[in-house]
Amino acid sequence: QSALTQPASVSGSPGQSITISCTGTSSDFDNYDLVSWYLQHPGKAPKLIIYEVTKRPSGVSDRFSGSKSGNAASLTISGLQTEDEAHYYCGSYVGSNTWVFGGGTKLTVL
Amino acid sequence: QVQLQESGPGLVKPSETLSLTCTVFGDPISSNRYYWGWVRQPPGKGLEYIASIYFTGTTYYNSSLKSRVTISMDTSKSQFSLKLSSVTAADTALYYCATYGSGGRYYFDYWGQGTLVTVSS
């Protein structure tokens, strides 16, 4: 299973919205609405922010939203804040208790 | 709430075996609520799933690493472990232990802080 493809970097200004894409093959996303997104600040462990494509864990801001269409998933962050500056990773369950992840996207808040 | 803590050598020589342990706090490792797993992150790169284990002892492996990886658990110590054999520089990474839930909860919701393992002579 190859890694999912994410843009290396995205940027936005405070208050704006940005979208990070995550693309894979049909076998990465087929039959599974099990895409998750993780936020990672420098030197910290990844933190789950979206699961099952669109769901947010308790305590995660509703400024974070997820979607999926065909072989692509997306994470949208609205009302950008400086603390949103981090790396973001997508992941997809691909069956048999295995996963593939994206290479990560660095979000810069200008 | 589950808390995880990785431990193990930070430096391993090429061709040797990398051994890491994850100690679980807050929930019994024998719980049927979680699977216990390992994910790694090479410097400056993305995440890679390595392996996971259930309280029954059933194990699951990333097919690309399966020939070199063994995951096991010791319920008496509330620990699970990772062994990766025949390591090379490509195995240099931050190694995280992480959990996902049983019952179809296929996402990693608890993570350790990670431990850096460097493969070098």
Side-chain angles (χ1 to χ4, degrees), chain B residues 93-116:
Chain B
L94 255 177
Y95 285 77
Y96 293 100
C97 53
T99 71
Y100 60 97
S102 60
R105 293 182 291 151
Y106 293 112
Y107 45 87
F108 292 92
D109 48 2
Y110 295 108
W111 297 70
Q113 284 302 299
T115 187
L116 178 64

Side-chain angles (χ1 to χ4, degrees), chain A residues 1 34 36 38 40 43-48 51-52 89 93 96-99 101-104, chain B residues 35 39 41 45-49 52 60-62 96 100 104-109 111-113:
Chain A
Q1 220 81 29
L34 294 171
S36 49
Y38 304 85
Q40 185 178 37
K44 300 292 188 182
K47 173 189 173 184
L48 176 72
Y51 66 98
E52 294 174 4
Y89 296 91
Y93 178 72
S96 302
N97 283 273
T98 56
W99 283 259
F101 291 97
Chain B
Y35 290 77
V39 177
Q41 183 175 34
K45 296 188 178 180
L47 303 170
E48 181 180 32
Y49 166 77
S52 54
Y60 308 90
Y61 296 102
N62 182 330
Y96 293 100
Y100 60 97
R105 293 182 291 151
Y106 293 112
Y107 45 87
F108 292 92
D109 48 2
W111 297 70
Q113 284 302 299

Side-chain angles (χ1 to χ4, degrees), chain A residues 43-65:
Chain A
K44 300 292 188 182
K47 173 189 173 184
L48 176 72
I49 55 172
I50 295 288
Y51 66 98
E52 294 174 4
V53 180
T54 62
K55 298 177 182 178
R56 283 186 307 277
S58 174
V60 172
S61 172
D62 60 4
R63 297 185 300 104
F64 294 93
S65 62

